[in-house]
Amino acid sequence: MINTIDREKLGRPDMDIAGFRLWVHGYANKDSADIIAIDWLTATAHISAKGTDVWLTDLPLEPGYIDLLGLYCYEIVGGNARGASYGYGSDSPHLQFSINKNHRTGKLALNVSSEYGTEHLQIHQVKYDIELSDVGKVMRACSRILDKYPPRNKRE
């Protein structure tokens, strides 16, 4: 995907785990009257690994899923869960990532997949071996993102 954002100006990523980086830019629908759309965020993601260098721009993020990812990571760190995931199925671009624990070996993996393009669909899937400390980094990144961009929708 052609990057429309100057990579030099992105600064420090909000999430940086293995070869996966995520920059959250702010609320996507600043002036929306829609009570659901008002909380959506926009982001840039970078997926890099041997043979893969993918940039996704104008990526929609739903804060509720970021919150759930952070909670699942908390459970993994506490030994109470085997996996955590984030995924949003927009038309394009589409990003999914999950953290899974192998039942037999106990090893953790970060799986990232992206899909983009309307005429010529591009799909990339990358698996990174990670440590438990990396799960803690994801958990803290989710918390920082939600602290920086709290839900504005006051649903009761």
Side-chain angles (χ1 to χ4, degrees):
M1 172 172 263
I2 297 172
N3 186 17
T4 59
I5 295 178
D6 184 351
R7 296 176 190 172
E8 302 283 321
K9 293 182 182 178
L10 283 174
R12 184 177 170 188
D14 293 288
M15 188 180 293
D16 188 354
I17 309 300
F20 174 72
R21 289 169 193 80
L22 180 73
W23 292 264
V24 179
H25 306 298
Y27 298 105
N29 305 298
K30 293 178 184 167
D31 301 321
S32 177
D34 183 320
I35 64 169
I36 303 297
I38 195 168
D39 284 341
W40 282 81
L41 303 170
T42 186
T44 298
H46 181 223
I47 304 164
S48 68
K50 187 176 182 180
T52 303
D53 186 34
V54 178
W55 286 86
L56 299 170
T57 59
D58 299 322
L59 187 64
L61 297 179
E62 205 282 325
Y65 290 125
I66 295 171
D67 189 32
L68 284 175
L69 176 65
L71 291 172
Y72 288 142
C73 287
Y74 180 80
E75 294 294 318
I76 291 171
V77 170
N80 300 320
R82 292 185 300 230
S85 65
Y86 174 90
Y88 173 67
S90 65
D91 291 335
S92 184
H94 172 83
L95 174 71
Q96 267 188 301
F97 56 94
S98 62
I99 298 170
N100 298 299
K101 188 174 187 178
N102 185 301
H103 303 295
R104 285 178 266 162
T105 65
K107 293 190 179 206
L108 293 161
L110 171 65
N111 302 291
V112 180
S113 67
S114 67
E115 296 179 12
Y116 58 88
T118 52
E119 292 181 26
H120 303 287
L121 183 64
Q122 298 284 320
I123 300 172
H124 297 276
Q125 296 179 331
V126 177
K127 178 181 175 182
Y128 304 100
D129 292 326
I130 60 171
E131 302 295 326
L132 191 58
S133 61
D134 293 320
V135 177
K137 289 178 188 178
V138 172
M139 181 177 64
R140 289 186 296 278
C142 289
S143 181
R144 283 191 307 271
I145 290 167
L146 292 172
D147 285 347
K148 190 173 180 181
Y149 303 105
R152 299 176 301 162
N153 175 2
K154 304 300 182 203
R155 291 176 258 183
E156 297 298 323

